């Protein structure tokens, strides 16, 4: 007689799958939504929009997310009913709003002094791209770069190349970080956010940058991590790769800030630190996206 799996084991698997899907959706939200968070105009508009307009924005966003979820959705559940898509769309919208709210708090665009109307307005406006990223996460970002052909055969035939694999990850991280940092570095938002950031908030930004980078590459399920970790590289472990990639993203941020004359060699080191840490958050997410692409 075949033995049934214990209920506790089924519950554990269900929670593990749920956690992975939530991380996948949130990671997609950060990939799509983080550049918009560094836009002063969106902060201003969100602070002054009336509640009826905010409700209209939520309805339109929910409708778009619902249509995207009818195509695929961020969950790998195999359900395709209208009610399932509707429920999943509520989750996607909620994840987007929560991610936007957390990041706005980290960037100190929502504080204890922020009024309720202003805070809700900012969250709704910034939550739109996050929610769209959640809905698009699995359909666009979950492709396995080792899926073509026979993976086991390709792994057997592949010759380990320590330096080549290390250089590949470094290059992918650099390219992704530079692409994002290049678009944000010349704006005044970096200067504004850095001026308001205390050492404690800078530390919080560093921690969030590392957590989001780890979640995108190693916890979201966008790529097969078992196969990814078969690569040879100096920094192939999840923790070491996350830290090393963050340092590369910080260097890319500093380079872009210098390139656009936001920083000069005569500026004090603490100013360099503030600017690069603030720009390092979106740059790190860009670097994580770059590593997914190679």
């Amino acid at each position: 007689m075949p033995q049934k799996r214990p209920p506790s084991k089924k519950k554990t698997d269900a929670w593990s799958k749920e956690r992975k899907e939530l991380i996948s959706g949130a990671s997609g939200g950060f990939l799509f939504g983080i550049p918009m968070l560094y836009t002063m105009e969106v902060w201003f508009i969100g602070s002054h929009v009336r509640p009826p307009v905010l409700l209209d924005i939520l309805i339109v966003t929910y409708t778009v997310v619902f249509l995207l979820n009818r195509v695929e959705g961020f969950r790998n559940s195999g359900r395709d009913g209208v009610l399932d898509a509707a429920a999943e769309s509520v989750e996607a919208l909620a994840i987007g709003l929560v991610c936007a709210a957390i990041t706005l708090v980290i960037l100190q665009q929502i504080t204890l002094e922020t009024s309720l109307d202003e805070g809700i307005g900012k969250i709704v406006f910034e939550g739109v791209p996050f929610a769209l990223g959640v809905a698009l996460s699995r359909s666009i970002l979950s492709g396995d770069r080792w899926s073509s052909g026979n993976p086991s055969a390709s792994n057997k035939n592949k010759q380990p190349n320590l330096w080549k694999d290390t250089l590949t990850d470094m290059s992918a991280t650099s390219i992704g970080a530079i692409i994002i940092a290049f678009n944000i570095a010349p704006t005044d938002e970096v200067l504004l956010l850095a001026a308001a950031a205390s050492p404690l908030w800078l530390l919080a930004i560093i921690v969030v940058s590392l957590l989001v980078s780890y979640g995108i590459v190693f916890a979201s399920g966008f790529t097969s991590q078992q196969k990814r970790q078969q690569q040879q590289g100096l920094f192939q472990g999840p923790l070491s790769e996350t830290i090393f990639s963050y340092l590369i993203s910080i260097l890319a941020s500093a380079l872009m800030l210098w390139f656009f004359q936001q920083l000069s060699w005569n500026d004090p080191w603490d100013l360099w630190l503030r600017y690069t840490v603030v720009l390092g958050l979106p740059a790190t997410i860009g670097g994580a996206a770059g590593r997914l692409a190679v």
Side-chain angles (χ1 to χ4, degrees):
M1 294 289 293
Q3 295 182 350
K4 293 183 179 180
R5 182 180 296 183
S8 59
K9 178 64 175 178
K10 291 183 179 179
K11 183 179 292 187
T12 301
D13 291 345
W15 277 110
S16 177
K17 181 181 178 182
E18 177 73 13
R19 182 178 67 252
K20 186 174 182 179
E21 288 177 339
L22 290 176
I23 293 175
S24 174
S27 299
F30 276 105
L31 283 172
F32 279 78
I34 199 68
M36 191 68 73
L37 279 169
Y38 283 68
T39 305
M40 195 183 308
E41 290 76 9
V42 179
W43 305 339
F44 179 80
I45 294 173
S47 302
H48 295 85
V49 173
R50 296 168 59 86
V53 178
L54 294 177
L55 180 60
D56 292 339
I57 292 172
L58 286 176
I59 292 174
V60 172
T61 304
Y62 177 82
T63 302
V64 175
V65 171
F66 174 78
L67 294 175
L68 292 173
N69 284 336
R70 286 290 289 159
V71 177
E72 186 163 6
F74 76 94
R75 290 187 179 278
N76 189 18
S77 58
R79 300 175 298 176
D80 55 0
V82 174
L83 292 179
D84 292 332
E88 188 173 312
S89 300
V90 172
E91 286 187 85
L93 184 58
I95 292 172
L97 294 174
V98 169
C99 290
I102 291 173
T103 314
L104 285 167
V105 171
I106 292 296
L107 297 178
Q108 297 189 76
Q109 291 308 302
I110 293 180
T111 64
L112 294 176
E113 288 75 30
T114 304
S115 66
L116 182 60
D117 290 344
E118 180 182 351
I120 293 177
K122 288 182 177 181
I123 291 172
V124 169
F125 263 82
E126 298 288 5
V128 171
F130 274 87
L132 296 178
V134 174
L136 289 168
S137 60
R138 190 164 68 91
S139 61
I140 294 181
L141 299 171
S142 62
D144 189 354
R145 58 180 170 174
W146 293 276
S147 60
S148 58
N150 188 337
S152 59
S154 62
N155 288 335
K156 290 179 181 179
N157 296 330
K158 180 181 178 181
Q159 296 297 322
N161 192 324
L162 178 69
W163 295 108
K164 181 179 179 181
D165 288 344
T166 302
L167 183 60
T168 298
D169 276 345
M170 289 177 60
S171 301
T173 302
S174 301
I175 292 172
I178 288 174
I179 288 175
I180 298 298
F182 185 89
N183 289 279
I184 300 177
T187 66
D188 293 333
E189 282 78 1
V190 175
L191 283 64
L192 184 65
L193 292 170
S198 65
L200 183 61
W201 283 108
L202 291 176
L203 180 60
I205 293 174
I206 293 173
V207 171
V208 171
S209 301
L210 292 170
L211 289 176
V212 173
S213 176
Y214 178 88
I216 291 173
V217 179
F218 291 101
S220 64
F222 287 155
T223 59
S224 174
Q225 295 311 317
Q226 182 179 1
K227 296 174 183 177
R228 177 178 176 80
Q229 292 177 15
Q230 290 176 0
Q231 279 188 301
Q232 301 296 315
L234 292 176
F235 307 97
Q236 195 55 47
L239 181 60
S240 59
E241 181 179 331
T242 299
I243 295 175
F244 183 64
S245 298
Y246 178 70
L247 295 178
I248 293 177
S249 300
I250 285 291
L251 290 176
S253 300
L255 177 62
M256 290 298 97
L257 288 165
W258 173 82
F259 179 81
F260 286 107
Q261 301 297 295
Q262 301 282 45
L263 288 171
S264 67
W265 299 117
N266 296 324
D267 291 325
W269 68 268
D270 60 322
L271 193 64
W272 280 79
L273 178 64
R274 284 175 176 272
Y275 285 13
T276 53
V277 167
V278 169
L279 185 58
L281 174 57
T284 300
I285 294 175
R291 300 206 304 285
L292 292 180
V294 298

